[in-house]
Amino acid sequence: MDSTRLFPDHGWMARRAFAPLLVALAALCTSAGAFAQTADVVNPPGRVAQLNYFDGPVSFEPAGYDQWAAAVLNRPLTQGDKVWNDAGARSELHVGWTTLQMAGQTSLQFTTLNDQTVQLAVTQGSAVARVRDLPIGQRFEIDTPNLALTASQPGDYRVDVDPAAGITTVTVRGGSAQVFGVDGVPLSMPAGEQISFSGNSLAQVAAQMAPPDDAFGRWAAARDAAEDRAPAARYLPRDMTGYQQLDDHGTWENDPSYGQVWVPNVTVVNWAPYRYGHWAYIAPWGWTWIDDQPWGFAPFHYGRWAMLGPRWCWVPGPITVRPVYAPALVGFVGGAVGSVSFSVTVGGLAQPAVGWFPLGPGEIWHPAFRASPTYVTNVNRTVIVNRNVTNITNVVNVNHTTNVYRFQNAPQAVTAVSTKAFTQGEHLRGNLVPVSATELARARVVPPPAPTRDPRAIFAASRVTQAHPAPPAVAVERRVVSDPGFSRGRPGTPSGREALPGPQQRPEAPANVDTPRRGFATPGPEREAPPARPSVRAPLANVPQIPREPPERPTPSRNEGIVAPRQAAPTQPPVQQQEQAQREQLQREQAQRAQNAQRDQAARMQQDQARREQAQNEQAARAAQMQSQRAQESQRAQQQMRQAQESQRARQEQQQRQPQGEAQGQRPRPAQEQRGAQTPDNRARPQPAGEAQRPRREEKRPAQGN
């Protein structure tokens, strides 16, 4: 299409203004397979699990391959993948809001892992799950050979599966859960309870309050507490897998153009994103980057990379946007311009090469697999152009589109290796080839390399030829019980994987098959009869049995066989029936959650009313006590006042009596005493003649007080 025909009167300015839209339309037309919304397009999940920590011998088995290999840090795990912790090992995984810790001798499989459901199968060992959030429509379930545990609320849940005794112990330390047997009748377990179950019909062996944590439980609780204090949660959504490792390996800064950015602490010269690690082919996404750094998960599967001067920084995007996982947010360069092909020199010989560079803020990532426009829009919602420019929310209405990426021709940002090293999943350390600006000028943006079934690309840097632990075959083949009301992820249901060209290639599996003698029954594929019923122990003496909820009349969906013998997978129903079943299941879950919420609200209201009544009673008691104290204080004050008045009157009387005594001591003697016998020395003064005798003065005595 010639833009001059659309704007014949405006010349080059009109063509320049219309160029971004033409580029966007051209990208949509040339990538019709990636963006077309057809009936058979199935979008990949928007989240995966991350193996972010392990200590000791830990191995994994990718879905669709009967080969175990040594675990690799930061490898994404998806539906159908298995993890085995050998004796003395510990590991930690993250998926969305959930953290999962595994002890030694533990076998785990991701039965279902998509945007709505996390369903795990633990056939033996111990696992602790911390569910930090459980929005409506989300489901978390742990299945064991004895039961299925479904979380009703966010909380802390632990399962201990003893294959020798055939017992599963469930401990609920926070939140609440429901456990199901094969009959589909639920048993509610609130926080603070621990119950041991035998068989597959919820036969209780022991019931008690949750005991204190053991060494493994304390280790898991300490890691969960550290994650609760993670400063990165202030800048990133908690359902972004891999954010937990950022705080110890970088700093957060506020940039005027990109907002909050994270700057890694790197000391490697010429370090660049997507340069130190390896590539692996993980279906259904295809080529996936696995970084070597302990923090190397979230910054390479979400957000974009930018440069602040000479420093690289990661731009995660707004915290309010739901993160959607991507295998690697890069653009690939290669191809040929004219007769010159993009190549690198290895051992003095030119070899075909492939290069890549990190996408910057505002640049759209186009998946190499078939996906709907909705998926492409959601996976690019974290793109940030500038604080003063509207964020990209739709890949069609792009306000800043260009066919030249900012790091496409930058030698410090482009990493290149030979095509052979790339497709065989070799570690890039030692295989990196420097690329000059002249060579990059001849390269062009190309799709990633083609899919492959080469086991070296599937297992990548796990080195399957070296010694690695593998679980006993009985642990892998042991079937589990799942929630009868949930139709996804049952045993025998194959996980959806991408169809790759050519027959499957794999190394031979190690021969380490152990035959159990007691505990769980392990039917093999050659058995035609139904599996033996697990042994059921009698309840222990003096152990109270927790009553189960009254059984309801089972519906046809709850009468389906849960623990069925291994056989060919049943024919999948039509897409419409699956969608209808999913909608009905979602409605049932929402109704159950609404009932639980109503019960919780009623309980909270009763508790609030009781607290209010208690507060009123306490307030009335305090008021009565204060009134009594005031009355007592008033009585004491009156008594003290009377005592003071009496003391004052006593002092006044004493003061009055003292002058009276002195006056009596100075009073003249009576006349009869003067007329008594007189001695010569007692001369009386004669009374003059004619002078009247003066009367005797009498002192007035003070009146006696009452």
Side-chain angles (χ1 to χ4, degrees):
M1 179 183 293
D2 189 358
S3 60
T4 57
R5 296 183 180 180
L6 298 176
F7 298 92
D9 299 330
H10 298 281
W12 68 272
M13 294 183 63
R15 293 195 299 271
R16 182 175 181 181
F18 197 62
L21 181 58
L22 292 178
V23 173
L25 293 175
L28 292 174
C29 295
T30 57
S31 303
F35 297 104
Q37 179 68 35
T38 60
D40 58 346
V41 170
V42 179
N43 295 325
R47 60 179 178 177
V48 297
Q50 173 207 10
L51 180 61
N52 63 281
Y53 173 85
F54 64 89
D55 182 17
V58 179
S59 57
F60 78 102
E61 181 186 87
Y65 285 81
D66 297 331
Q67 172 64 46
W68 290 85
V72 179
L73 190 68
N74 292 328
R75 180 185 175 93
L77 300 174
T78 184
Q79 181 169 315
D81 291 348
K82 302 175 184 178
V83 180
W84 166 254
N85 279 16
D86 209 30
R90 289 178 178 176
S91 62
E92 183 179 72
L93 301 94
H94 281 89
V95 51
W97 289 283
T98 303
T99 304
L100 185 71
Q101 290 96 5
M102 299 170 53
Q105 295 287 334
T106 301
S107 174
L108 179 140
Q109 179 182 6
F110 288 93
T111 308
T112 306
L113 180 55
N114 52 37
D115 294 347
Q116 294 80 29
T117 303
V118 177
Q119 186 181 21
L120 311 174
V122 179
T123 57
Q124 76 173 57
S126 301
V128 175
R130 173 72 179 279
V131 182
R132 284 182 167 78
D133 195 7
L134 195 65
I136 296 178
Q138 296 289 321
R139 183 182 186 85
F140 178 79
E141 179 177 337
I142 300 179
D143 301 333
T144 74
N146 300 105
L147 53 87
L149 180 148
T150 302
S152 303
Q153 298 175 352
D156 298 293
Y157 308 97
R158 173 171 175 170
V159 294
D160 296 274
V161 182
D162 185 356
I167 293 176
T168 295
T169 301
V170 178
T171 306
V172 180
R173 299 194 179 275
S176 63
Q178 287 186 328
V179 292
F180 296 85
V182 293
D183 56 0
V185 179
L187 171 66
S188 298
M189 290 187 61
E193 284 190 356
Q194 183 185 80
I195 307 178
S196 298
F197 300 92
S198 179
N200 55 8
S201 298
L202 299 186
Q204 299 181 25
V205 177
Q208 61 179 350
M209 299 300 294
D213 277 323
D214 56 4
F216 170 65
R218 292 191 296 271
W219 172 79
R223 294 190 65 87
D224 290 337
E227 183 176 341
D228 292 338
R229 300 187 299 267
R234 298 195 295 264
Y235 313 106
L236 302 173
R238 283 203 178 264
D239 57 338
M240 177 181 287
T241 303
Y243 79 91
Q244 300 84 358
Q245 293 81 40
L246 298 179
D247 294 322
D248 296 334
H249 303 281
T251 57
W252 289 93
E253 298 181 7
N254 189 8
D255 183 77
S257 298
Y258 307 124
Q260 293 293 335
V261 298
W262 182 77
V263 181
N265 299 329
V266 293
T267 58
V268 180
V269 180
N270 296 328
W271 183 90
Y274 303 96
R275 181 166 293 179
Y276 293 92
H278 63 277
W279 291 90
Y281 194 89
I282 300 178
W285 296 273
W287 292 108
T288 302
W289 175 256
I290 303 176
D291 201 82
D292 290 344
Q293 300 295 331
W295 49 266
F297 193 89
F300 300 101
H301 301 291
Y302 310 94
R304 299 293 187 270
W305 283 90
M307 294 195 73
L308 300 179
R311 301 181 303 163
W312 286 97
C313 69
W314 178 54
V315 185
I319 191 175
T320 57
V321 176
R322 172 182 172 269
V324 178
Y325 167 84
L329 296 164
V330 300
F332 289 91
V333 293
V337 177
S339 59
V340 181
S341 300
F342 183 72
S343 62
V344 295
T345 302
V346 179
L349 300 176
Q351 295 186 7
V354 56
W356 59 90
F357 56 88
L359 295 179
E363 297 174 349
I364 302 298
W365 175 73
H366 299 290
F369 48 85
R370 301 185 65 183
S372 65
T374 302
Y375 173 83
V376 180
T377 299
N378 292 336
V379 79
N380 285 286
R381 283 188 184 275
T382 57
V383 176
I384 294 296
V385 180
N386 191 287
R387 283 191 172 184
N388 299 324
V389 181
T390 303
N391 297 338
I392 294 176
T393 57
N394 191 303
V395 296
V396 178
N397 299 324
V398 179
N399 58 350
H400 181 70
T401 306
T402 176
N403 59 347
V404 178
Y405 299 89
R406 69 181 66 186
F407 299 127
Q408 176 181 348
N409 298 321
Q412 71 273 20
V414 176
T415 303
V417 296
S418 64
T419 304
K420 177 182 177 181
F422 183 96
T423 56
Q424 293 183 359
E426 296 182 7
H427 201 283
L428 299 188
R429 191 182 300 273
N431 292 317
L432 297 175
V433 178
V435 182
S436 63
T438 303
E439 293 173 323
L440 292 177
R442 297 197 303 265
R444 57 187 177 88
V445 177
V446 296
T452 179
R453 278 194 178 275
D454 191 337
R456 292 171 295 184
I458 305 299
F459 292 90
S462 59
R463 300 180 297 277
V464 295
T465 58
Q466 297 184 3
H468 55 272
V474 62
V476 179
E477 297 176 358
R478 191 175 292 129
R479 290 191 297 271
V480 297
V481 178
S482 61
D483 181 4
F486 183 55
S487 60
R488 293 289 304 277
R490 291 181 177 176
T493 303
S495 58
R497 309 295 289 180
E498 182 180 359
L500 300 178
Q504 176 178 333
Q505 305 175 14
R506 61 178 177 85
E508 295 182 358
N512 53 349
V513 180
D514 296 336
T515 303
R517 296 184 178 179
R518 58 190 296 268
F520 297 122
T522 310
E526 72 282 0
R527 295 189 181 182
E528 298 180 358
R533 183 181 179 87
S535 59
V536 180
R537 290 188 175 184
L540 300 180
N542 300 327
V543 176
Q545 297 288 307
I546 295 180
R548 299 173 63 184
E549 297 181 2
E552 300 178 358
R553 185 175 182 180
T555 59
S557 62
R558 294 201 173 217
N559 287 334
E560 297 177 358
I562 303 306
V563 186
R566 304 184 72 175
Q567 54 186 356
T571 304
Q572 294 292 335
V575 178
Q576 295 81 2
Q577 296 182 5
Q578 291 184 355
E579 294 178 352
Q580 179 66 21
Q582 293 178 4
R583 286 194 295 269
E584 293 177 356
Q585 174 63 22
L586 181 58
Q587 292 176 359
R588 287 193 296 268
E589 292 180 359
Q590 291 178 350
Q592 182 65 28
R593 291 181 186 276
Q595 294 178 1
N596 295 337
Q598 291 178 358
R599 288 195 297 266
D600 295 342
Q601 184 177 5
R604 286 193 297 269
M605 292 177 62
Q606 292 178 359
Q607 294 177 358
D608 294 341
Q609 180 65 22
R611 284 194 294 267
R612 286 194 295 269
E613 293 178 356
Q614 182 179 1
Q616 292 176 358
N617 295 335
E618 292 177 354
Q619 185 177 3
R622 286 195 297 269
Q625 183 178 4
M626 293 177 60
Q627 184 176 3
S628 177
Q629 291 178 355
R630 286 195 295 268
Q632 293 177 1
E633 292 177 356
S634 177
Q635 292 178 0
R636 286 196 297 268
Q638 293 177 1
Q639 184 177 1
Q640 291 176 359
M641 184 179 298
R642 287 194 299 268
Q643 292 177 357
Q645 292 176 355
E646 292 176 358
S647 176
Q648 184 177 4
R649 285 194 297 269
R651 286 195 299 270
Q652 291 177 356
E653 292 176 0
Q654 183 178 3
Q655 292 176 0
Q656 291 175 359
R657 284 193 298 269
Q658 183 176 1
Q660 181 179 357
E662 293 178 355
Q664 291 179 358
Q666 297 177 359
R667 188 175 55 187
R669 301 176 66 181
Q672 58 268 22
E673 293 181 359
Q674 295 180 2
R675 289 191 299 268
Q678 296 181 357
T679 60
D681 295 334
N682 193 7
R683 299 184 182 91
R685 190 178 59 178
Q687 186 73 14
E691 183 178 357
Q693 186 177 359
R694 290 180 295 181
R696 186 178 59 183
R697 184 179 63 182
E698 294 183 359
E699 298 290 341
K700 292 183 179 181
R701 298 182 62 183
Q704 295 293 335
N706 293 330

